[in-house]
Amino acid sequence: MIPNADRSELWLARLRPYRQRLHEPLEMVVEGKLSRMVGLTLEAEGCRAAIGSLCQVITKSGKTMTAEVVGFSGAHLYLMPTGDTHGLEPGCRVIPMGKNSLARVGFGLLGRVLDGSGNPLDNKGPLDTDAKISLAGTPINPLTRKPIREALDVGVRAINAVLSVGRGQRMGLFAGTGVGKSVLLGMMTKFTNADVVVVGLIGERGREVNEFVLKILGEEGLRRAVVVASPADDSPLMRMHGAMLATSIAEYFRDQGLDVLLLMDSLTRYAQAYREIALAINEPPATKGYPPSVFAKLPQLVERAGNGDEGGGSITAFYTVLAEGDDTNDPISDAARGVLDGHVVLSRSLAESGHYPAIDIEASISRVMPDIVEAEHMQMARDLRRLYSIYQQNKDLISVGAYRAGSDPRIDRAVAKNPAIMDFLQQSMDESVDLSRSISELAQLLAS
């Protein structure tokens, strides 16, 4: 005679296939297996996990790697690995870890260089951090944000004088390749009046990481900075995590009441990384190969920067945006302009003529400048832009001698002032020009 307990187990075993067929599992299946890999996307079955949560993938040889859930279809999970995928094969174990990605934060990060996972790259030993926060951040109520009232000194004369930046503003730095955006970022890193500088090098060449840290940033600049580097050969998920980690670190220091400068190079590489992930899980492309979700992700990242609550700190952010073929109207550039508080455009023609920083003041704008500078300063900036624009519009006539002096007083003044204006807008990468000096030199230029 079969005991009652054993009889129950026997009936349970017989009923199990039918109940599973009716999608009524008797218990949560903890462990699944890898069924397919297409491109960089892994497909797992037999386990459940939420979007954004982490899973461990264990190969038959015992190698372990981490992957994040980026989508699902029915009973199948789509995972994106954070590292190397060599050694994966069908049937690898997939174990949900039941947690989301976290960022290690603390003052021990100052002076350190990290990868997209938050691990040190600088061989200076383990990180001295005692806190962890969500990599995705926490949205801020827009009505509790502190207004932008104060100008920020970035140490670059052309920006201080003509495109004044407010503390807590989000600016775009629009440029093609090779026109000096990294050098301009380095200048602002060293010269900006901020308590902490967080630099995110996302999707750029690996060689540029070492160059930026050693040559552009330097030992002095690194002391108050945190660098997060996720170069182009990292997985798309790691590049996304690098941008989110840099933002999370900046948020932590802002929440400590500090004024933070966040420099991210580049926002375009972040968008391209997310495009790779979205296309890999079969989201249809919409605008020039970019799926619609990419344009939802951009404001989610950018809106995390800015001022905190009243009495708190601030994050002033500069995001570089790569203009494909020097076209500043490509989809990412156009979307970025819509969510940022202004943009600085770097001109290839100015760079090719040896004019550095190659800022095109005609195409650039700071949307908060009227609210943070004196009326006299604002008027002088408009006068300079007007003179610069008049000269550029009539440059061809002037250069071929078709314009006769005295024909138009405005053009005469623009021609007379142009050499001084071009000198004023140029600056050596080792020279710092503070805000008050920039305004004083602007006044002298227009008065003479």
Side-chain angles (χ1 to χ4, degrees), residues 144-216:
T144 65
R145 278 188 188 267
K146 180 174 58 177
I148 300 174
R149 304 188 185 99
E150 180 186 354
L152 178 70
D153 183 2
V154 298
V156 179
R157 182 168 45 219
I159 295 177
N160 280 341
V162 189
L163 301 164
S164 298
V165 176
R167 198 176 292 279
Q169 185 173 356
R170 287 90 46 105
M171 290 283 284
L173 191 59
F174 290 70
T177 55
V179 295
K181 68 180 185 306
S182 296
V183 175
L184 181 56
L185 283 179
M187 291 172 67
M188 290 190 289
T189 303
K190 291 186 289 185
F191 303 148
T192 297
N193 181 19
D195 299 318
V196 175
V197 178
V198 180
V199 182
L201 303 176
I202 310 301
E204 298 299 318
R205 293 179 287 272
R207 172 186 61 81
E208 290 185 337
V209 175
N210 202 35
E211 258 185 27
F212 188 91
V213 173
L214 296 180
K215 294 183 180 179
I216 298 178

Side-chain angles (χ1 to χ4, degrees), residues 376-388 413 417 420-421 424 439-448:
E376 184 181 0
H377 178 189
M378 192 69 209
Q379 186 58 49
M380 289 190 297
R382 286 173 179 160
D383 289 345
L384 181 74
R385 293 169 73 101
R386 189 179 299 113
L387 290 171
Y388 182 90
R413 187 163 185 258
K417 292 288 185 183
I421 290 174
F424 177 83
I439 298 171
S440 174
E441 291 181 358
L442 175 60
Q444 292 175 9
L445 168 63
L446 295 173
S448 60

Side-chain angles (χ1 to χ4, degrees), residues 68 84 96 110 126 153 158 176 196 203 250 386 390 429 434 437 444:
E68 182 176 307
D84 185 23
L110 294 176
D153 183 2
V196 175
R386 189 179 299 113
I390 289 172
M429 64 177 291
D434 63 31
R437 180 181 159 193
Q444 292 175 9

Side-chain angles (χ1 to χ4, degrees), residues 248-264:
S248 294
I249 293 171
E251 287 175 320
Y252 169 80
F253 287 115
R254 177 186 63 191
D255 293 343
Q256 307 308 307
L258 300 178
D259 293 318
V260 183
L261 176 67
L262 171 63
L263 305 173
M264 191 169 295

Side-chain angles (χ1 to χ4, degrees), residues 239 266-279 283-298 321-324 327 329-335:
R239 279 176 267 148
S266 68
L267 191 63
T268 305
R269 302 296 188 209
Y270 169 81
Q272 290 173 345
Y274 191 78
R275 175 177 64 179
E276 292 178 44
I277 294 173
L279 293 177
E283 185 181 351
T287 308
K288 292 191 175 179
Y290 287 96
S293 60
V294 171
F295 303 102
K297 276 287 180 181
L298 288 177
V321 181
L322 297 176
E324 297 181 5
D327 177 17
N329 292 314
D330 68 87
I332 298 302
S333 298
D334 200 44

Side-chain angles (χ1 to χ4, degrees), residues 351-366:
E352 289 173 346
S353 67
H355 180 116
Y356 289 103
I359 298 174
D360 183 353
I361 62 171
E362 275 190 301
S364 306
I365 189 171
S366 171

